Amino acid sequence: MSRQVFLYDPPERFVAGTVGLPGRRTFFLQASAGGRVTSVALEKTQVAALAERMDELLDEVVRRSGGNAAVPAVAPTEVVDSAPLDTPVEEEFRVGTMALAWDGDGERMIVEAQALVELDAESDDELAAAEEQLLQDDENGPPMLRVRLSGSQARAFAKRALDVVNAGRPLCPLCNLPLDLEGHVCPRQNGYRRSE
């Protein structure tokens, strides 16, 4: 079976969003163009890492070009997208690995999100060899979402993604763990409330 690649070059929209209440949210990357929508699920930490790394890569592109690259320092207000995910949100796959690259000739950020793959291997060496084979196999690998973004679109994606990650449950000022609606047992207080 050949690899299924969901290609958006360029997308009309590429955003990170969530479904569910804080503490029980499912995170998605969603790309759309020409009436077609692709949603892939991933972990909160993956969204945060993607957004942070994207900003770092864009900053490096600006630095190396001496400010001549078509990359804004901050997300332009005209491309900022705060609308919810397009519904219905139908998960194509759960993301396992992601990759970022900058195409200097086309001045585009390339984002690839590949499906999580369960590997059956006897040893660590077999597992490493199987993972390497999957990464190199363009024709028969797992499903992949590939998106090519302008510098402005990439900045806007990173800003929104970080906003989505930070919009979750507030953090405990003592232990920095998320506060639940049902209550919070703080390890720094040994699970007890301080008396007033």
Side-chain angles (χ1 to χ4, degrees):
M1 185 168 115
S2 66
R3 165 180 262 181
Q4 186 176 15
V5 177
F6 301 92
L7 177 63
Y8 291 85
D9 184 14
E12 292 169 6
R13 184 174 194 228
F14 181 60
V15 295
T18 62
V19 173
L21 298 172
R24 293 178 178 83
R25 298 184 297 172
T26 301
F27 287 79
F28 290 93
L29 296 180
Q30 190 176 75
S32 60
R36 181 171 72 103
V37 177
T38 304
S39 302
V40 296
L42 68 170
E43 299 297 323
K44 178 180 181 177
T45 55
Q46 289 175 298
V47 175
L50 178 61
E52 290 165 4
R53 183 65 187 119
M54 189 177 286
D55 264 342
E56 290 170 5
L57 184 55
L58 291 169
D59 290 344
E60 182 66 15
V61 167
V62 170
R63 187 187 68 73
R64 286 189 180 193
S65 72
N68 294 326
V71 176
V74 295
T77 55
E78 64 271 7
V79 295
V80 172
D81 184 346
S82 59
L85 294 174
D86 294 328
T87 56
V89 178
E90 296 176 2
E91 178 183 323
E92 295 292 338
F93 59 83
R94 178 157 288 280
V95 175
T97 59
M98 294 184 294
L100 277 179
W102 178 257
D103 173 8
D105 295 332
E107 293 195 326
R108 294 283 185 253
M109 174 73 68
I110 302 166
V111 180
E112 291 183 350
Q114 183 172 283
L116 181 65
V117 176
E118 299 294 328
L119 297 174
D120 295 326
E122 301 277 327
S123 70
D124 289 341
D125 291 336
E126 288 178 38
L127 184 61
E131 287 175 337
E132 185 64 30
Q133 180 61 36
L134 277 174
L135 292 173
Q136 293 177 357
D137 191 354
D138 280 344
E139 289 185 21
N140 299 313
M144 177 191 298
L145 171 65
R146 181 178 292 143
V147 181
R148 294 175 52 88
L149 305 167
S150 68
S152 296
Q153 287 175 312
R155 282 285 190 208
F157 170 85
K159 179 187 181 326
R160 176 186 168 129
L162 289 173
D163 290 346
V164 166
V165 167
N166 294 326
R169 298 172 287 172
L171 300 178
C172 172
L174 296 175
C175 68
N176 216 25
L177 292 174
L179 297 171
D180 291 322
L181 296 174
E182 298 85 34
H184 173 66
V185 178
C186 181
R188 299 242 357 241
Q189 293 183 9
N190 294 328
Y192 295 101
R193 287 184 192 249
R194 290 187 181 163
S195 58
E196 302 286 332

